[in-house]
Structure formats: C-alpha cells, structure tokens
Amino acid sequence: MLELRGISKSYGDHKGASDVSLVAPSGSRTVIVGPSGSGKTTLLRLIAGFEAPDAGTISLDGRQLHGAGGSVPPHKRNIAYVAQEGALFPHMSVGDNVGFAMPRQAVDRARRVDELLEQVGLPAGFRARRPHQLSGGQQQRVALARALAQKPDLMLLDEPFSALDTGLREAMRTMVGDVLREAGIASVLVTHDQAEALAFADHLVVMRDGLVADAGPPQRLYERPADVETARFLGEAIVLPSAIVGGVARTALGDVPVRHEDVARADVLVRPEQVVVAAQSESSMGALGRILHRSYRGAQWRLEIDCRDGGVAEPFCVDVPAGLDLKPGDLVRLSVANEAHVFPDSPT
Amino acid sequence: MEKRPGAAVCDMTTRLPVVLGALFALGLGLPALAQEGPIVVYNAQHETLAQEWATAFTEETGIPVIIRQGADLEVANQILQEGANSPADVFLTENSPGMVLVDGAGLFEPLPQDILDQVPSQFRPENGNWTGIAARSTVFAYNKDALSEGDLPTTMAALAEPEWQGRWAASPSGADFQAIVAAYLVLEGEEATLDWLKGMQTNAVIVRGNRAALAAANNGEVDGALIYHYYWFGDQAGTKESSGNTALHYFGNQDPGAFVSISGGGVLKSSQHKDEALAFLRFITSAKGQDVLRDGQSFEYAVGVDHESNPALPPLAGLGAPEIDPTQLDTVKAAELMTEAGLL
Amino acid sequence: MAVSVDLGATKAAKNARSLGSSGHPLILGAAALTGLLSLLPLGFVVYIAATSGWGTIADLVFRPKVGGLLVNTLMLLVLVLPLSVLLAVALAWLIERTDIPFAKFWSWMVIAPLALPAFVHSYAWNAFMPRFHGLGAAVLVSILAYLPFLYLPVAAQLRRLDPAQEETAQSMGKRPIEVFFLVVLPQLRLAILGGALLIGLHLLAEYGLFVLTRFDTFATAIVDQFQSVYSGPSANLLGGVLVLLCLGLLGLENLVRGSERYARVGAGAARRRGRVALGRWRCPALLLPLIFAALSLAVPVLTLGRWLWSGGAEIWRFDFILPALGQTAVLALAGAVLTTLAAVPMAWLAVRAPGRVQRTLEACHSYVGALPGVIIALALVTITVQVALPLYQTLATLIFAYVLMFLPRALVGLRTSIAQAPVELERAAASLGRPPVSAIWHTTIRLAAPGAMASAALVALGITTELTGTLMLAPNGTRTLAMRFWSYTSELDFASAAPYALLMIVLSIPLVIMLHMQSDRVEQA
C-alpha cells in the first residue's frame, strides 16, 4: 500500500502539491488525473524520489520512503518509472535496455529478456534492434518490459500513452493493465485524459491546483463527484440549480429524484445520458428546448440543445438514436431519467 | 498570423548577385590600382624603420610607397620566383645574403654613381648593383647577475665549448643569425663552422627571434644571448622590459663574433617605376635618410658617408669588426651546414 | 582553418524530394565547380609529392628535424585532447547539471575564451610569464584557447539528453555515478569526438600560438621554411606531411565514431527539472570554473590591460589602426559574402537532393576546412606565381583562400536553415511559372537568409583573426589587424600590439554571443 500524508511541494510561487494525502491500495491500479499544472506529475516524481517534498511523509508497504527519518534515494526505492515516451537509452539495443536493471552476470539474462519482450507482445527478434528503429508503441512496450524486469514494488507511469495514436492508445492501455494484473504489481498512472483515467483506474484521484479534489472508485467519482469542476472534468455535465423537496429536485428539466435532504437551493448534476429527448409533436411533458446543431455519429445524432428559456444556463449536448429525425431549429421536450446527484457543497 | 522575421534580409538576397559582381570587380581591380603610381617596396628591414623612411620620402617627393613585409630570404626567394613579373620596385633587407641571392639571379638594376657615392665602399658590393643602407653589429648580451666581466667569452668560438652548455640563447631560424654563420664560414672555413654549429646545437637554447633571445638572457633563463646590438639599445630606450638586467659584450678583435652585417637596398630591373625607385634608394642613403637612423628609435648604424650614428651607440669604427666582402656571404652553404648540425 | 561547431541539430528535411530534375543541373554544376576548386590544395600537395621524386622526398621528409616535429605534434595531440575532454565534460556537467552557484554566468565564462584568437592567448601568457614555454606552455595555452570547441557540443548534448532517461535508470536501482557512466557519458560520445576533432585540427593548423610558446610544430616549421626560401620544395613537402596528419585525424575520428548516430527517441520537449545538489561540494566545485576563467580570461585581460595602460595614448596610432580596421572589415565582409554564396548550391543539394553524388561533393566542400590555412596559402602562392600570375598577390586570390578555409563553416549553418524552409514553397513558386533556379532563390533561399546571415557572420569573424593565410597571400600594402598585431608581437613590442588585440577581441564578442545563443536554442530543438 502506498501512503502519502500531508505532502507539500512548491516551486517558487507555484504550488506543485499542497497538503496532499492519498492512499493507493496494494495491487491497485491508481490513476491520478487532472489538467496540466494540477500537480499530478509532481506527485509522481515525489513518489519516485526524483524530488523531495517540502513536508509530509511517503511510505510504501509499511516502509517509509520519505519522512522525518530522511529520504530513501530513488535507486533504493525499487519503484519502476515509465516515462512519457519511454525514455529508452538510445545508445543501447532493445535487449540491453530491458536487461539494464538485471545483474550483468545473470546467466538467464537473455532468456529473461525474451520472456519480458514476449510478455509485452514483442517478438524475441526485437532484442537486437535500436530504439530509433521502433515505433512509438513498440518503444513503450520495451519501456514497460524494462520496468517489469526490475520486479518493482510499485510501477509509476507518467502519461505513458499520450504520444500514441488513439487506436493504439486503447490497445496499449489494455495490454499494460493485463500485464500489471498478471504480475501483481501495483501501479500509479498519471494522465490528463479523463477517458483513459476512467478506463484504467480501479482507484481514481482527481487533482486540481495542487490539491486532491476527489478520490475513490471511478464509477463513484463519475456519478457522485465532490464538486462541479470534478464533474465537468470527468465528463459532460449539466448543472441545474434547484430546490429539493422530499427527495425530489425541482429542476429546469423537470422533477428528478435525488438522495438528499430538503434544501432551498442546491446544484444538481445531470449527465447527458440521463436526458430524455422527445420531438415536440410527440410529447407535451418536460421543458422546451431548441436544437442548435446536430452532428452525425453513425449510431447516434449528437444534438446541441439550447434550453436557456427553460432556465438551463448553457447549451448542452445529448446523444439520441439515429432514427430520431430532429433538425436544427426544431423544438424538443426534455426530461431527466433516473436519480440525479446533488453536490455536497452546493450553495445554499 | 505568422510574422516574417526574414523580411528585412530578404531584400538582401535579391541584391546579392549585384554585390557579388561588385566585390569581384573590386577584387580584380585593386591590384591593378596598386600598381599604378606608388612604388612597391619589398621590405625585410624592420617595418617601423622602413615606414619612417617611406613617410619621410613621401613627404618630400609626393610619391606614395607601398610596403610588403617579409623576412630576408623569404622575400629574396619570392623575388626570384616572381622573376621578370615581380611587382616589387625596391628591395630592402636586414642582412646582405638576401641581396646577394637576388643579385646572383641578375635581377638588380645597376645603381647610378651618385647613389653609390653616398655610401663608403666598405658598405656595398663592388659591382654596384645594390648598396648598404644600414649596419648592425653582433654582440653578446649577458645577464649581469649571472656573469661578471671576467666570465665573459673572449671569442664566439668559446660558446661552443662544453662549459657553455645550456647557458646561451640564439635564434638560428632567422636570417640575422644565418648571416653571422655565413661570416663565420668566410673567416674560419667549412670544417670549423660545422664543428662550431654542432657545439651550438648542444649548447644553445633555441628561440625564435632576437628579442626572445634577449628576453631569455634578461629573465635569467640563460646567461647570455648572441644577437645584434640594436635589439638591446631599442629595449633600453623603451621599457627595458627585456634588457633591464643585461649588459652588452662586444667581442672585438676581428673575431667572427664582432661581425658587422650590412643591410642592403636595391632597385629591381623589372620595376615599372625605376626613376621613383632610384629616388627612394637615393633618399634613404642620403643625409636625410640616414638621419632617420641617427635620430630614430631603430638604433641601427648609419652607413652614409661621414654620417653620425645614434649617439647612444659606440662608434662603428671602434668595434674591431672583421673585414668581410658582403658578396662572399654564402647563406645557402650556411643553411646547409646548419641543417646538417640539426639547427634547421 | 574553419571553426564549425556543429551542435548536432542539423537534420536534413524529411521530404527531400524536390523540384523536377530541371532545377538540378545548374545547381549541381555550381556545387561541382566549388567542390572541384576545393580540391585544389589537395591536388597541389599530391602534385608536389608526385613531381618531387623519391630522392627529394627522402632528403627533406625523412630527417631528424621532421621526426622531432612529428613527436612534438603527437605529444600535443596526446596531451591536449584527453585533458580537454576531461575538463570540458567536468565543466559542462557542473554548469548544466548541478546547483553550482552562478551557473548561467559560468556558461558564458567558459566559452568567452573564444573571443580571443589563439595567438592572443599565447601573447598574453608570453607577456605574463616570459619563462613559461615549451611543451607545457603549448599544452596549457592550447587547452585554454580551444576548450570551448569541446565544451559547446558537450554542454549542448547534456542539455538535449532526455532527463527521463537518467531518472528511469535511477529508478532501476543505479546509483547516480553509475547513471552517469552508463547512460550519460555514452551519449556524449559523438559530441566529444566532434569537439576533439575540431581541436585536433586546430592544433595541427595553428601557427601563432606555438611560435609564442616556443614549440615547434609542422605549421611553424612550414612558415619557417617559407620565410627562408619562400615557396620551396621543403615547405611544400612538410605541407604534404601536415595534410596527411589532418586526413589521418579525420579518418581516426570516422573510425572511432563508426556508423553510430544517436538521435533523441521520440518527440516533445525534454524538461530539465532538478539539478544535482552538490551539498558541501557546492563551494569547492566553484574552483574548477573559477580557475579556468582565471587562466583563460583573467590572464589575457589583465595582461592586455597592463599593456594598454603602460602604453598610454602613444600606442593608439590611429593612422595605422584605422586602415588596418578598414582593410580587415573589407576582407571579412567580402570573404563572408562570397563564402556564403559559394556554399548555397551545396547546402541546397544536401537538403533537397541527398544521394551519393551529393555526399561526395559535400565531402569535397568539408575536407578543405580541415586543412590548415598555411597549406591553402602555400598552394595558392605556388599556383598563382607559377601558372596564374595575373592572380598572384591579388585580393581575389586572398578571398578565394578565405572561401576555401571557411566553406564548411558557412555550409553547416546554411544547411540547417535551408532544411527549415518547406520544399512546398519551391513547388508553389514553380507552379506559378518561375524558372526552377529563380523559384528556389525566391523561396527557400529567402527564408534561409537569416540563417545565412548568421553563418556569414561566423565566417567574417574567422577572417578577422586569420593570420597565416593572410600573411602569405595578402596583396601588397595589406595590413590587417592580425598582421599588425603579429608584426608587433614578434618583435616583443607587446604594448603596441595591445590595441590590435583589443580590437580583435571586441570584434569577436558577437561570435561568442552567437554560439551561446545557438547552444541555448538546442534546448528547444
């Protein structure tokens, strides 16, 4: 288990991390996500030991890495680090890269290297290649194999897929996830991509301005985020000010069930997939909105809907089945299905 | 929108071909211009001295002078290679061998009697193809802290003896020293010269340039230096940076070490401006030209008839120099022997 | 002798395909002509060797004096190169990678010695310590004068290395010292080799520095011979030996380097974050750059200052100084413009039409910069005096010599800037009806103009301090700053030489600034 307590780190005026505490359970795949400058990479570097925090303690599986007793240097932490573009050593072959952390005289070195290459989906013939002869995806695979070779207690991944093409990114993500699970190695991955974060994490940490904005299982964070910014960061969010009376929120899009005590004014989160759209001709229930744009998505239309007259502050997008023939300018009826989330720190 | 940082220079590129053409025209035109009007002096004398002469000459006659600087034998050989096409009008040296070399190739214009008459016959060759313009004496500059007068070598030959090992400096690669060796050759013969040079090869600290040799004696690196006199006087008149701790020892007694070397001047047959060139040579051997030697900072001896040298210098006549016909100085042989001795 | 500090950023444009082949013949012809002219000095040496006959060669080359020169030259290389590498790597690492105080300041101080021509360095040392000469002095002054040639590429490479590599290595259990030797040092190899080659070539070519430190090398012996017999067989054959040494050095570097090319894998800017904390070594570490700056800068500056002070107003002979300054400026300007223009066809071909012919031509362009100025001058003196007399002692010949000497310097900069100009513009211009050469001239060359100006400036600065070639080839009446400086210095008139040294230093300061900026830019490249 990785445990950070009260970690602070600043660079001059810029706060990299302020009083961050977080716990990554053993064997978990933790993802730290946040916009650039949120301090997520700082956190990773502090865990790796490349930099020392100004305050706080870091421990891994009960072993203190940084704290009052001093700091364990990075080369003694046994924490693997996979950099953004792999950071392969260009002057070494793929085999030497992967074998870098192994003892030089290890008899089974060549065999181990081949095994690791196979594990990350590369043929053994790649051993003799040079890093510059590899594609971006292959480089990342080698970097992963190299990190696995040291049998780390924890693996840190710093935006490992960001330089890859979209299609490749997903495949790599799946592969990395599988390999880590098989090897039983806990990991902390840093990304700015919320989709990637949701897909990879079993424990998600959202950072903003050097602070942990929210942390927990990804599904919980998506559905019941701690605040509006987190909600917006993790996906499209329609935030509706409303009054809550008897477990029902009175919103501009109609009454929506919520789990919350009565309050005069609260912000309610509605995800677009909860919004039900009907042609005006087919329904007289719900708020009235106007279609501003539509774009074709194959299985769906994505509609941009203006409901400002009905009291929704900003236009929002909703996907509807392709069969629904609604054109820009058409008026539609809007309602909300399922339970909505009330932000805990809603203005009162 | 993207800015265009190169915009200003862009115009340059369009004009470059024009600039290029102009530069080539300039490059080809300049030497042609240079050969119009002014006389070209190939100078191996000290540049400052030649410049003083040139300035005074131009002031008096209005004829501009262009000086090309080089070393005695470099320039002499250059003139030989240029042959009839040499751009040079006048050739000035520090020592005689360079003059002998050019004269041997028949490239000098015989000088009119009025120029020859300005210099006593012992300072010029009999054939009258060139003339002496100044003179310098061999000396042994010694460090006063290292040597007292009793320790001084009585002859130049003594410097090849084992007790002088590592104690004296000289600059054998220069034409100055090669002239001294040529004089030794005339006076003592080939075998003795080679022996002496071999002794020198063992004994002497080899430097490049007489001033460097003097400085070595001055700073105590060696006890003395075999050089020409005017380096010492020049330095004494200035900062004494390289000579403050040294004094001069004249060998005298017609010893090879008392050799007086004659700086020469001649006019080239190929000159396109012979009258002006002769006027220049006439000027530097005249009283006015020789005054530059007496009054200036060169400290070389004046050689004009009855002309006084710089009052700081001991009179030339009293130096006990050996009598040597400058045309007898064979630097080719001297250089051969020096090469054999491993000095070149 | 050309200074082309190749910071390694040069990379041919990816899409090298160019205009229809109709654009080539003219440009190819021009490049071929320049390449052919570049071969002149080498051809001359070969010709001399071939016509001298074995007897002459045996007499003039195989003698103890030449053996001594060879030993001297090799001693110089064997001592200066390893020491410079050690010092350059240590300084670069301290300045680029540690929390040494005033790192930015030191990064300027370490390359500032470039503003002083090598012979000014030895002038200062000669005046500062008159008894300090011989091998020791030659080695010390060479290191002080030439270290920036190694420091610049090494520091640039250190900066360019992806810090993530070292961090990754560390996280894999390697101690910092292991990381340096396993990950950092191997990647400095090319930079070290390139810098060492450049210094090696300078050591072979330099004349003034070794005359003043009283250390005989081939270059000084050739000039000695030249001054004894002008263009004679002895000087020419020594020149042949010197050319062999240069080619040997080039070959050796090529051999050691092999076919290795390190490229940064992947794209994106490498961010350098933390610097190594030196802890209690932080202040002692200051000693290294401090001593280097004291020896390479304080000694010359103080000595020069002393001479300027003691010389007073008397040494400012403006009637000599101003013409020398003017002549130097004209030569530098004309040489720079022509050199840059001469390099354009080759640079364009190198980027747009790489291939075997182009590589051969480029080798012709580049090798000539490795030849000492004394060889080029010797060749041109002999050729003009014997077969092309109308060109003898002309400005044209002198400038031609400069073009040969500094061609590679211009080529490196031009190639980089042409590579940055998109080839599409040439095509667009051609499709708008421009004839090919005109299309190239008005698009690529125009866009490359700022880069071309920078490399022209580098050439001009090189010419400003060029000594041997100018001494031997200058038209009658030419007295450049370097020539005046040299004539005073060789008479040990240090005070009178001081203003010329000062002017050359002032003129060279832009060189330092440009190289510093160029090396800074590597960070973003």
Side-chain angles (χ1 to χ4, degrees), chain B residues 13 49 72 108 113 134 143 172 189 273 303-305 310 314 328:
Chain B
T13 55
L49 175 59
D72 276 7
F108 276 137
Q113 198 59 41
N143 187 303
H273 315 96
V303 293
V305 170
N310 192 309
Q328 299 299 304

Side-chain angles (χ1 to χ4, degrees), chain B residues 140 142-153 164 167 223-224:
Chain B
F140 186 70
Y142 64 96
N143 187 303
K144 289 183 287 189
D145 302 327
L147 296 178
S148 61
E149 285 190 28
D151 308 326
L152 293 169
W164 282 95
R167 292 173 57 197
D223 296 347

Side-chain angles (χ1 to χ4, degrees), chain A residues 9-17 36-39 42 54 209-210, chain C residues 273:
Chain A
K9 174 77 178 173
S10 54
Y11 305 94
D13 292 341
H14 176 72
K15 287 239 180 287
S36 60
S38 60
T42 303
D54 301 333
D209 302 328
Chain C
R273 280 166 168 268

